[in-house]
Amino acid sequence: MQASYRPYPQQQQPPPPQRTPHSAGQRRGGIGPMMSSGPHHSVPLTPAQLQQQQQAAAMQVEMAKRRSRKPTDKNLPDNIDDCTVGDMAARYRDLRDFERSLDATMTRKRLDIVDSVNRSVKRWKTLRIWITNTTEDQAWQGNGVNVDNFEFGANLEPTYRVKIEGRLLDDDDDLDKDDDSEENKSKSDDPDRMEEDPKPKTSKGPKYRFSHFFKALSVDFPGNRKGIDQNVEWKKPERAGPSTSLPAAADFDELTFKRSGDENLNITINLHRHEDPERYAISQELEDIVDMSEATRQEIVMGIWEYIKLMGLQEDEEKRNFRCDDLLRRAFGIESGSIPKLHEHITPHLKPLPPVKLPYTIRLDEEFHGDPQPTVYDVRVAVDDPLREKMLSFLSNAGYANMLKEAASLDEQLAIIVQAIHVSKAKHGFLKSLSEDPAIFIRDWLSSQKRDLDVIMGESMRGTGEDATGDEWRKGGKDSVWATINARESVTVMLSKQPNQLQR
């Protein structure tokens, strides 16, 4: 227990130095300088660094001012047709209208493409699967071995190999082949036919391999063979990192396994689908509502939403809520629900799709292998719409950004030209008015300049000066005196002087 000290004011000697307690995470003393655990002050900048920072800030401000002063108006001044030769101004306005229409159409089409890509439309195609088996070292194959001799070597154990091969069928290929053969035959019969360049080969969509459509594969052997034959299982590995391609070992068109045996076997090959987005099997209660036996989450929610709108089950006051009829009440077990919570309501009704079961008999007898025939199955699989790849390439086209930059540069040049046209139009109006009546024009112009100078200098008072109470000062609108640049600058100067007058 530490002793507590009471400070006495009459004590002349300074108190002995005491150690301050250290926190658990604080570094105790040792060899080397000790540093506090608090925030450290940054090293002061040198004058050169300060000047460089000030110059960078001033440059940013100057660039912002230049961007704000950059002309953006691309409309020609009014009555410009009276000052030009021909109908160039009318043609320019027509081109501007066409440009607006084209920009609106391109924007709408691009949004439609983005919407189509995000919806991930699928097409159903046929995956044909061939299952065959071969035999090795069977008793009927002989190989110079006496079947009555029971002394067999280890390397003569009867075995078999089962091969599972799949390929996606494309009906267009067969049609194209037939058309090409008929066309080539008709051309070959024509002796006066001219030589033509070969047709360019159109690039088809991505080639899907057998392993693309399934995430797992397993083989079920008969019950009397369990424990004798090793299980056959394959699972698709996860993609590593942002790469969209699978490893070479997981991207294949056929799978082969080898086992030992000399009797015919009935096996079942289970193929577990791999779909993106994932499809689910729907319960009977939910199937009565959406009229689908299997679907994705998005399709189920959209189906329920369509059913709610069709039956008029939305609440009148709160459109996000809905009332339940007999079908919805039987499925969800509630009297009313919220549309944003439909995902939670449908989750108990979703189950993973059952695997595709392919029964196959492994034939090891001599009669079958005299003329072996494969077992063929056709399985429906979902593939991406071939237009989706083209749409993605269109959206990710690097030339589109360059085109936008080029169009922006041309717009800036056009705005500068239009600004020069405005200046020329003002000069033309000035000289035209001067040529019509020089005396009156000079008098009005000098009077206007005097008024503007008085306003700028702050010497013009309301109700005094030349024509200060005239109708032109009371008139508003874009053609009035108050809409001129000089008037706006004068008002700004007067407002900036008001605080100084109040301080006086």
Side-chain angles (χ1 to χ4, degrees):
M1 182 175 180
Q2 295 183 357
S4 60
Y5 297 93
R6 179 183 300 174
Y8 293 94
Q10 67 272 15
Q11 189 174 0
Q12 300 296 331
Q13 296 180 356
Q18 298 181 2
R19 277 187 178 181
T20 59
H22 293 273
S23 62
Q26 189 174 357
R27 181 181 179 273
R28 297 293 299 271
I31 301 176
M34 297 187 63
M35 300 180 64
S36 63
S37 60
H40 303 286
H41 297 286
S42 59
V43 180
L45 300 176
T46 61
Q49 293 176 344
L50 287 174
Q51 185 178 3
Q52 186 177 3
Q53 287 187 356
Q54 293 175 358
Q55 291 179 354
M59 181 62 67
Q60 293 181 356
V61 173
E62 181 64 23
M63 293 302 294
K65 289 182 179 180
R66 290 183 181 179
R67 287 193 297 269
S68 63
R69 290 194 299 263
K70 186 179 297 184
T72 57
D73 186 15
K74 293 179 286 184
N75 296 320
L76 294 176
D78 298 333
N79 302 325
I80 190 66
D81 301 87
D82 301 336
C83 309
T84 57
V85 179
D87 57 346
M88 301 303 296
R91 292 186 180 182
Y92 175 80
R93 295 190 188 94
D94 294 340
L95 288 176
R96 289 279 296 156
D97 295 339
F98 179 77
E99 181 186 18
R100 295 189 190 94
S101 176
L102 181 61
D103 290 342
T105 303
M106 292 178 61
T107 303
R108 185 177 67 255
K109 293 296 184 181
R110 190 173 182 85
L111 292 177
D112 292 342
I113 292 174
V114 172
D115 182 61
S116 300
V117 170
N118 293 335
R119 281 186 299 174
S120 65
V121 180
K122 299 289 185 178
R123 291 181 57 188
W124 291 97
K125 305 193 76 173
T126 301
L127 178 68
R128 180 156 295 177
I129 300 176
W130 294 269
I131 307 176
T132 58
N133 73 277
T134 58
T135 60
E136 297 178 5
D137 299 326
Q138 297 292 327
W140 55 268
Q141 290 179 314
N143 295 332
V145 179
N146 187 4
V147 296
D148 297 330
N149 187 5
F150 293 97
E151 296 179 359
F152 294 98
N155 57 344
L156 298 179
E157 183 179 6
T159 59
Y160 59 87
R161 293 176 182 270
V162 178
K163 183 174 72 171
I164 307 169
E165 182 180 1
R167 185 171 67 88
L168 189 67
L169 297 183
D170 193 354
D171 298 335
D172 297 338
D173 289 346
D174 299 335
L175 296 176
D176 293 342
K177 289 180 181 178
D178 296 340
D179 295 342
D180 293 342
S181 60
E182 293 178 1
E183 185 178 358
N184 293 334
K185 183 177 179 181
S186 61
K187 287 184 178 180
S188 60
D189 297 339
D190 186 6
D192 299 331
R193 181 180 59 87
M194 297 178 60
E195 295 184 0
E196 298 178 358
D197 295 334
K199 294 182 180 180
K201 296 183 179 180
T202 57
S203 59
K204 299 181 179 180
K207 181 181 179 182
Y208 297 101
R209 311 196 75 174
F210 174 70
S211 58
H212 172 82
F213 301 100
F214 306 103
K215 59 183 176 182
L217 182 148
S218 62
V219 179
D220 294 338
F221 289 91
N224 58 353
R225 299 289 299 180
K226 290 185 177 178
I228 302 176
D229 294 322
Q230 297 180 357
N231 295 331
V232 178
E233 291 184 355
W234 171 82
K235 290 185 178 180
K236 181 180 293 186
E238 298 292 338
R239 289 182 173 87
S243 176
T244 57
S245 59
L246 289 171
D251 192 15
F252 55 84
D253 284 328
E254 64 179 48
L255 184 141
T256 305
F257 63 90
K258 179 180 179 181
R259 293 293 183 270
S260 60
D262 55 0
E263 297 179 355
N264 296 342
L265 295 177
N266 293 323
I267 62 174
T268 302
I269 301 171
N270 303 311
L271 301 175
H272 299 266
R273 299 175 185 268
H274 180 204
E275 298 182 354
D276 186 21
E278 187 175 359
R279 302 177 67 85
Y280 298 92
I282 305 174
S283 65
Q284 185 61 42
E285 294 82 3
L286 199 59
E287 184 179 350
D288 295 339
I289 299 173
V290 299
D291 195 21
M292 291 183 291
S293 60
E294 58 183 45
T296 63
R297 281 182 173 269
Q298 183 180 2
E299 292 172 350
I300 297 171
V301 171
M302 289 301 298
I304 298 175
W305 166 239
E306 294 291 341
Y307 178 80
I308 292 173
K309 288 195 301 181
L310 179 64
M311 305 302 294
L313 300 176
Q314 275 186 288
E315 295 286 353
D316 297 332
E317 298 180 355
E318 181 58 52
K319 294 296 184 181
R320 295 183 300 175
N321 298 336
F322 62 92
R323 302 179 302 274
C324 293
D325 59 357
D326 294 338
L327 293 179
L328 291 175
R329 194 179 299 110
R330 189 185 312 122
F332 301 148
I334 56 177
E335 294 295 332
S336 62
S338 176
I339 293 175
K341 293 184 179 180
L342 283 178
H343 284 279
E344 301 176 6
H345 296 322
I346 67 175
T347 299
H349 298 272
L350 305 182
K351 296 180 181 179
L353 286 176
V356 179
K357 295 183 177 295
L358 305 179
Y360 178 70
T361 301
I362 301 177
R363 300 287 299 272
L364 304 179
D365 54 291
E366 183 178 2
E367 179 183 357
F368 172 80
H369 287 279
D371 185 16
Q373 297 294 331
T375 302
V376 182
Y377 291 96
D378 287 338
V379 180
R380 292 186 68 206
V381 293
V383 298
D384 291 333
D385 193 344
L387 293 177
R388 189 170 185 270
E389 294 294 330
K390 297 181 180 179
M391 293 180 181
L392 286 175
S393 62
F394 175 78
L395 294 178
S396 60
N397 187 8
Y400 181 72
N402 298 331
M403 183 191 68
L404 290 180
K405 292 181 180 179
E406 184 179 358
S409 176
L410 294 176
D411 283 343
E412 293 178 1
Q413 298 178 16
L414 181 60
I416 294 174
I417 295 174
V418 171
Q419 185 186 35
I421 293 176
H422 277 270
V423 174
S424 300
K425 176 64 171 59
K427 292 180 180 179
H428 178 271
F430 179 87
L431 296 176
K432 183 179 179 181
S433 300
L434 178 61
S435 63
E436 291 176 353
D437 196 343
I440 297 177
F441 177 79
I442 293 296
R443 187 188 65 183
D444 294 341
W445 180 68
L446 291 176
S447 176
S448 175
Q449 293 293 316
K450 181 179 182 300
R451 286 196 305 268
D452 294 341
L453 185 59
D454 292 341
V455 173
I456 292 173
M457 300 302 296
E459 299 176 357
S460 176
M461 300 299 294
R462 182 174 179 82
T464 61
E466 182 181 358
D467 296 335
T469 58
D471 294 337
E472 59 185 15
W473 293 93
R474 298 188 181 92
K475 184 173 63 173
K478 62 179 183 179
D479 296 332
S480 65
V481 177
W482 301 104
T484 60
I485 299 177
N486 294 334
R488 288 197 295 267
E489 292 180 353
S490 302
V491 173
T492 303
V493 172
M494 292 179 64
L495 292 177
S496 64
K497 289 185 178 181
Q498 285 183 0
N500 297 332
Q501 295 176 358
L502 293 176
Q503 291 178 3
R504 293 179 182 177

